[in-house]
Amino acid sequence: MVKVVIASRIFDPEPAAASFRLRAVAHALIERGDEVTVLTSCFEGAAARSSLTHPSTPLSRGEKDSDGTVLRWPVMRDKTGYLRGYVPYMSFDLPLFFRLLTCKRSDVVLVEPPPTTGFFVRLACAIRRVPYVWYAADVWSDATKIAGTSAPVVSVVRALESFTLSGAAGVIAVSEGVAERARSLGAKNVCVIPNGIDTSVYTPDAVPLSEGELREMGITGPYLLYAGTASEWQGAEVFAEAAEYLMKNDPQVQIVFVGQGSRWDVIGETARQLHKSAKRDVVVQLPQVSPEQVARLLGGAELALVSIVPGKGYDFAYPTKVLAALSSGTPVLYAGVGPVADEIEANGLGFVSSHEPQKVAQTLTSALEAPLAKRDESWRLHRWVKDNRSLEAAGSSVAEFVEGVADKDASDPGGDPVITVVSPWYPTPDRPVSGLFVQREVVALHRAGLDVRVVHLDRDLEAGTSRLSRCDGVQLLRIGMDPANPVSVAKAQAHLRAALKGSDIVHSHAISALPVVSMSRGRIPWIHTEHWSALSSPDSASLLLQAVRPAFASLLRLPDVVVAESERLAEPIRRFRGSRPVEIIPCIVPAPRTLAPYRDAEPTMRLMSTGGVIDRKNPLLAVRTLFELSRRGIDASLRWIGDGDQREEAVALARELGVEAYFPGSGSPSDVEEALAAADIFFGPTKGENFFVAAAEALVNGRPICASDQGGHVEYADPRFCEIVVDQTPEAYAEALIRLRDKTSSVSAEQISNSVAARFSPESVATMYSDIYERIRTKA
């Protein structure tokens, strides 16, 4: 049992996102058998001392009443009843300092902002030698700056926030953006746990308010609802300003604001001006109401309105009001940029507009003219929240993290780390070359002395089943999972979560592994190696892959570090990850035991290629290039090891043109090595590669390469031993092949191999990964 104190100026039943998430955490902790005490402020209608028992879900465990205790302290509040401002904060924070010193000793303290509270919690916890966890729902110093507060005050708030973050044994961030800012301010052990919402309160089953109830509130027709705080960085006034444009197209619609905030008076002034011109209430302002009442209002709204002012440093924020609306079955119109916009567009959750009144009005008009099919769509939106952002799941994750901080004595980073590699690609008897590059890295890490294990997410196994074995001296667990099947992914998650227990680092490969790893890894430091060619060459992907590319790529924000094989791939990854670390580590390309001599007396130009015989690899262009060489009087042949949907067409074209192009099908690594040994030049007229393993293999085996400019090979191929072709025509390739043959006529295989072999050796790659493992493990 862990003894937890929650220190927060705000707590249930006071209506606010912080109240609800902390209540969920308290419930989750008690369900796990922990003892919880909440130190909070007095709120109208709340007893000074009460239990945490939920009205519908009692939280006593076993026979002993252990619901937890809520202890309240009188504080200064503003005229709206809200605890806001630094003097009112002090009315809570100073007494809290002494309450923490005199209360029953806990194992850990969970503290909610503002930073003034964090400052006193750090002092009290240092005196009592108790670790604390900071719940970073946002970055207060950034918000203070956005609000236009004087520079000296911003500096003080930033110093307080940095002091709090740097002393925390753990920090919970609600988004990757908040996590990055927290780390920059000194946070060390940061866990990203997005906000959730109570899907039992916010549901399409909530009964909308009657016409009479709405009329009493001043709502007389169709309405759009903004429910929640209206602060400087949220810029909710943009919706009131948009009403002037909107009412020209739809004179009956109203915009309803429920809540409070620093921009409340600004919205009120706009509402009064609109009332004068329209002779009716275009904008309606209502005070804070209960969550149940908000759910009923949302149920009757045409759309929910949410905004964040872009470019103010808060683009990363994810307001909980988005989840409340979607869980209620109401689509969202979001004015702003960042993860909310990305998620709405990727999942069809509503509409996105720039943060400008006229643009907002235009988007609202379009949305109201083409409403979503309400009933079926409502439950789809609700299910999305339940599956992805429920308050119960978020509370459980926070509870797990808090318990882990309480047991942090066992987290010393000394000793050999356990690395668990998770990949949907790994060699099997039926697919001996699938994920061969992943296997090479695993073997290299194992031989370097690391404790490495492998989880293969094997689509050929039945979903939810697993098989344990050893391969190359490494523990190998195969879990049945089809990444395209959500049910299969859900079944695999339980197996993967169990497999990751005891791991110090999880290292995933391939974008299809990101969803299941993100759901399973908990707080384990995470690095991810990406290989997806659709990121660097979107035009070479199918229309379906191009459509899903943004949604999948957004998952690249989740790992602590992402590794790319080349700068070509790293560049688009950085666009999705922003300032988060992106490292470049090449694939392992093992050198052959002996190098076959380069070039002999044979007059034929012997070309070789390997990889899928697919459109992206351009096999038909390769065949036409052979024909162009023959037209110029040069005897040339091509052997292409691989298979794909253009293989038969390539064979037919070679026959039609009368050239020597052989497509024998798939082959083993030894087949590739033998083909390279018999070749003069590697030929790769590809439309897009990230690293281009086949080209690297050719160079390591002492063969020059002629290839397009669309791949990572342009970063490592020595110009002395390659020709890079921009113009994708048979004529351009024929000229390049002739130039390459001539300029390499006097070089040796050793010279070519030595230009790259050391960079791609198992030892070099293992060292680079070991360095990253050590960095992120120490940082964690």
Side-chain angles (χ1 to χ4, degrees):
M1 180 183 74
V2 176
K3 297 174 183 177
V4 183
V5 168
I6 296 176
S8 172
R9 80 190 197 285
I10 190 168
F11 195 74
D12 189 59
E14 188 166 356
S19 298
F20 307 142
R21 66 170 171 262
L22 290 175
R23 173 88 184 210
V25 174
H27 279 245
L29 288 165
I30 292 169
E31 286 284 12
R32 297 165 74 94
D34 299 325
E35 182 180 308
V36 179
T37 300
V38 180
L39 303 180
T40 188
S41 65
C42 286
F43 180 70
E44 185 179 352
R49 182 186 181 98
S50 60
S51 82
L52 284 165
T53 304
H54 191 283
S56 62
T57 311
L59 289 178
S60 59
R61 65 179 194 279
E63 297 179 357
K64 183 181 178 181
D65 181 12
S66 53
D67 297 330
T69 303
V70 181
L71 301 173
R72 299 183 182 274
W73 190 269
V75 294
M76 295 174 58
R77 291 179 177 268
D78 64 17
K79 62 183 180 181
T80 68
Y82 197 61
L83 177 51
R84 175 175 47 212
Y86 293 106
V87 173
Y89 291 158
M90 286 298 118
S91 71
F92 173 73
D93 297 334
L94 284 170
L96 175 66
F97 174 72
F98 294 101
R99 294 165 77 189
L100 286 169
L101 291 180
T102 56
C103 72
K104 183 179 178 182
R105 182 180 173 83
S106 63
D107 298 309
V108 63
V109 175
L110 174 62
V111 57
E112 175 77 16
T116 53
T117 304
F119 174 82
F120 286 105
V121 167
R122 178 172 179 178
L123 294 181
C125 286
I127 293 170
R128 300 201 70 174
R129 297 185 179 181
V130 173
Y132 68 92
V133 174
W134 177 252
Y135 209 138
D138 47 30
V139 182
W140 277 63
S141 53
D142 290 353
T144 304
K145 184 177 181 181
I146 292 168
T149 307
S150 64
V153 174
V154 172
S155 296
V156 170
V157 174
R158 181 161 287 122
L160 289 171
E161 194 162 31
S162 180
F163 178 78
T164 300
L165 286 163
S166 61
V171 173
I172 297 162
V174 299
S175 70
E176 289 294 339
V178 171
E180 276 302 298
R181 290 293 292 122
R183 292 187 185 101
S184 71
L185 289 168
K188 300 177 184 67
N189 180 23
V190 183
C191 179
V192 177
I193 302 175
N195 278 330
I197 201 72
D198 190 338
T199 55
S200 65
V201 172
Y202 295 99
T203 168
D205 280 336
V207 179
L209 296 172
S210 66
E211 286 188 17
E213 290 173 307
L214 291 172
R215 198 174 299 112
E216 287 180 8
M217 296 177 173
I219 303 173
T220 57
Y223 65 93
L224 315 172
L225 183 68
Y226 183 98
T229 304
S231 67
E232 292 90 347
W233 61 270
Q234 288 164 323
E237 63 270 19
V238 72
F239 298 115
E241 294 163 0
E244 182 179 354
Y245 302 96
L246 182 65
M247 64 184 185
K248 296 176 183 177
N249 297 310
D250 194 337
Q252 301 304 314
V253 73
Q254 291 176 294
I255 296 181
V256 178
F257 292 85
V258 178
Q260 47 76 42
S262 58
R263 304 301 283 176
W264 202 247
D265 291 343
V266 175
I267 294 168
E269 180 58 32
T270 303
R272 285 187 288 275
Q273 294 298 324
L274 289 171
H275 182 87
K276 286 181 183 179
S277 60
K279 308 302 181 186
R280 69 180 184 90
D281 288 330
V282 179
V283 172
V284 177
Q285 287 179 283
L286 303 173
Q288 285 182 313
V289 297
S290 68
E292 290 76 13
Q293 194 81 334
V294 171
R296 296 182 69 191
L297 280 164
L298 283 167
E302 300 295 317
L303 290 169
L305 307 177
V306 184
S307 60
I308 293 176
V309 181
K312 294 285 190 178
Y314 256 70
D315 295 344
F316 56 75
Y318 200 114
T320 310
K321 57 177 72 71
V322 172
L323 304 177
L326 295 174
S327 187
S328 299
T330 302
V332 170
L333 186 143
Y334 176 72
V337 298
V340 177
D342 295 343
E343 205 152 70
I344 287 174
E345 291 181 327
N347 297 282
L349 306 176
F351 309 88
V352 175
S353 167
S354 61
H355 195 276
E356 305 167 68
Q358 195 163 0
K359 295 292 185 182
V360 167
Q362 290 171 356
T363 306
L364 283 171
T365 299
S366 299
L368 292 171
E369 288 175 352
L372 300 171
K374 185 67 176 174
R375 190 65 189 170
D376 292 342
E377 187 64 16
S378 293
W379 283 105
R380 183 186 72 81
L381 298 177
H382 177 79
R383 283 192 298 272
W384 184 89
V385 176
K386 195 166 186 179
D387 292 343
N388 295 279
R389 296 293 180 86
S390 74
L391 190 61
E392 183 180 7
S396 179
S397 296
V398 173
E400 181 181 353
F401 181 76
V402 170
E403 287 180 335
V405 169
D407 296 331
K408 199 64 176 177
D409 289 343
S411 67
D412 180 76
D416 293 330
V418 175
I419 316 296
T420 300
V421 174
V422 182
S423 172
W425 305 325
Y426 212 76
T428 66
D430 294 332
R431 304 175 190 267
V433 296
S434 174
L436 185 60
F437 53 92
V438 180
Q439 184 187 40
R440 287 171 177 168
E441 288 180 3
V442 167
V443 172
L445 293 169
H446 174 64
R447 289 177 179 171
L450 278 74
D451 186 352
V452 59
R453 302 162 190 182
V454 178
V455 175
H456 177 201
L457 304 172
D458 190 350
R459 66 172 63 239
D460 292 334
L461 273 187
E462 182 182 349
T465 62
S466 62
R467 294 178 186 173
L468 184 65
S469 62
R470 294 192 75 82
C471 180
D472 302 307
V474 173
Q475 176 182 295
L476 172 62
L477 176 67
R478 299 187 189 276
I479 298 175
M481 191 194 89
D482 179 358
N485 185 332
V487 175
S488 178
V489 173
K491 289 180 178 180
Q493 183 190 351
H495 288 275
L496 182 57
R497 185 183 293 272
L500 293 179
K501 284 185 177 179
S503 299
D504 295 293
I505 293 169
V506 58
H507 181 174
S508 58
H509 280 262
I511 205 160
S512 59
L514 288 173
V516 70
V517 172
S518 66
M519 294 185 290
S520 308
R521 64 128 179 171
R523 296 181 290 108
I524 304 171
W526 180 14
I527 82 165
H528 174 77
T529 301
E530 189 48 62
H531 313 271
W532 196 23
S533 59
L535 292 171
S536 55
S537 304
D539 292 340
S540 68
S542 66
L543 292 177
L544 175 61
L545 287 180
Q546 291 182 44
V548 302
R549 177 178 176 268
F552 271 98
S554 66
L555 297 174
L556 290 167
R557 299 189 185 103
L558 300 178
D560 297 300
V561 177
V562 169
V563 173
E565 304 152 341
S566 63
E567 181 60 33
R568 174 185 171 85
L569 179 57
E571 195 273 331
I573 290 174
R574 290 192 190 101
R575 290 202 296 269
F576 288 100
R577 281 180 62 80
S579 60
R580 302 212 70 198
V582 179
E583 304 275 358
I584 297 177
I585 299 179
C587 293
I588 291 174
V589 184
R593 289 192 179 91
T594 58
L595 282 174
Y598 174 52
R599 193 69 54 80
D600 58 18
E602 287 283 338
T604 302
M605 182 188 289
R606 297 168 301 183
L607 306 179
M608 180 271 177
S609 195
T610 184
V613 189
I614 56 178
D615 178 69
R616 179 168 62 85
K617 300 285 188 177
N618 248 337
L620 303 184
L621 178 57
V623 173
R624 292 189 176 99
T625 299
L626 280 185
F627 178 73
E628 178 63 21
L629 286 169
S630 68
R631 204 172 62 81
R632 298 181 183 213
I634 296 173
D635 190 13
S637 66
L638 169 68
R639 184 176 185 82
W640 190 308
I641 297 177
D643 207 347
D645 55 15
Q646 284 196 343
R647 183 180 165 204
E648 290 184 6
E649 187 178 357
V651 169
L653 181 62
R655 188 183 303 115
E656 176 188 337
L657 297 177
V659 296
E660 293 184 48
Y662 306 101
F663 295 86
S666 299
S668 66
S670 60
D671 292 332
V672 172
E673 191 172 316
E674 288 176 10
L676 282 169
D680 299 319
I681 295 173
F682 174 86
F683 185 28
T686 180
K687 294 181 180 179
E689 305 287 340
N690 288 324
F691 178 72
F692 210 179
V693 172
E697 287 177 335
L699 291 168
V700 169
N701 279 269
R703 295 299 179 267
I705 66 170
C706 178
S708 76
D709 64 340
Q710 298 299 306
H713 56 286
V714 300
E715 299 168 30
Y716 57 73
D718 189 317
R720 295 175 298 166
F721 313 125
C722 72
E723 279 289 328
I724 304 301
V725 181
V726 176
D727 186 9
Q728 301 299 292
T729 64
E731 294 79 11
Y733 274 110
E735 291 170 4
L737 286 164
I738 294 169
R739 286 197 303 272
L740 184 61
R741 179 198 62 182
D742 294 342
K743 77 179 182 180
T744 58
S745 60
S746 61
V747 304
S748 67
E750 287 76 11
Q751 286 177 289
I752 299 173
S753 180
N754 290 341
S755 68
V756 292
R759 294 171 61 185
F760 306 151
S761 70
E763 296 79 10
S764 177
V765 171
T767 297
M768 286 188 276
Y769 273 119
S770 296
D771 289 345
I772 294 178
Y773 295 155
E774 185 61 26
R775 289 204 306 272
I776 69 169
R777 186 165 175 246
T778 302
K779 187 176 181 180

